[in-house]
Amino acid sequence: MQSQQIEQWLDALPLDEPVDVDGETVLLALQPGGAILGAHLSRAATGVQLADAMRTGFQSALEFEAGLSLGDDGSLMLTQWLPGAESWRDAGDALEGLLNQVAMWRAAMAPGASTPAAESRRDADRIRQLFSGETR
């Protein structure tokens, strides 16, 4: 999409309600002073999923600008605070990064994807390189 088309598409997205973007359920919830951008990782997270998420969640929050949260309905979410954001247009760049991070979380949460900490760090390093534009 061209820049103008992307801006029009972002302007058409509803605020404060879940929408589907690239197969992911995302939400932009306006708050005083900014907005919370979030994506659902799991509708009803199991205890095992929550424990696995907590093991890597803190490191991920340090490396990226989004962290884990529990929704009012018990869903596991990846959320990011966007200071000063008032519309989806303001959240466009952050949305792209969040969707990339959701893809990483989905892979990590897949059945049988339990990985040792060292492997998780290598994966996080690769993702950080992708976000920064570095290549090896």
Side-chain angles (χ1 to χ4, degrees):
M1 274 192 231
Q2 294 176 335
S3 179
Q4 185 178 18
Q5 289 175 317
I6 292 171
E7 289 175 359
Q8 289 173 344
W9 174 74
L10 288 169
D11 288 341
L13 293 175
L15 299 170
D16 297 317
E17 64 182 69
V19 295
D20 183 280
V21 176
D22 290 341
E24 298 293 346
T25 302
V26 297
L27 168 76
L28 186 66
L30 297 182
Q31 305 287 316
I36 298 171
L37 176 64
H40 285 273
L41 291 174
S42 174
R43 287 284 174 213
T46 66
V48 171
Q49 286 175 318
L50 289 175
D52 287 345
M54 292 301 292
R55 275 194 278 287
T56 56
F58 291 111
Q59 184 64 32
S60 177
L62 292 173
E63 293 177 19
F64 301 100
E65 295 182 13
L68 298 174
S69 68
L70 285 177
D72 293 336
D73 60 357
S75 61
L76 182 62
M77 297 186 66
L78 188 62
T79 58
Q80 179 177 356
W81 173 248
L82 303 176
E86 298 177 345
S87 69
W88 276 104
R89 190 183 292 205
D90 297 334
D93 290 337
L95 176 61
E96 184 177 352
L98 188 79
L99 291 173
N100 289 335
Q101 191 176 354
V102 165
M104 178 196 72
W105 274 101
R106 291 242 182 269
M109 292 175 66
S114 186
T115 60
E119 188 173 330
S120 293
R121 280 192 297 276
R122 283 194 305 273
D123 290 343
D125 288 343
R126 281 186 226 127
I127 290 167
R128 191 170 45 253
Q129 288 173 350
L130 287 172
F131 278 16
S132 68
E134 297 174 19
T135 57
R136 288 188 178 191

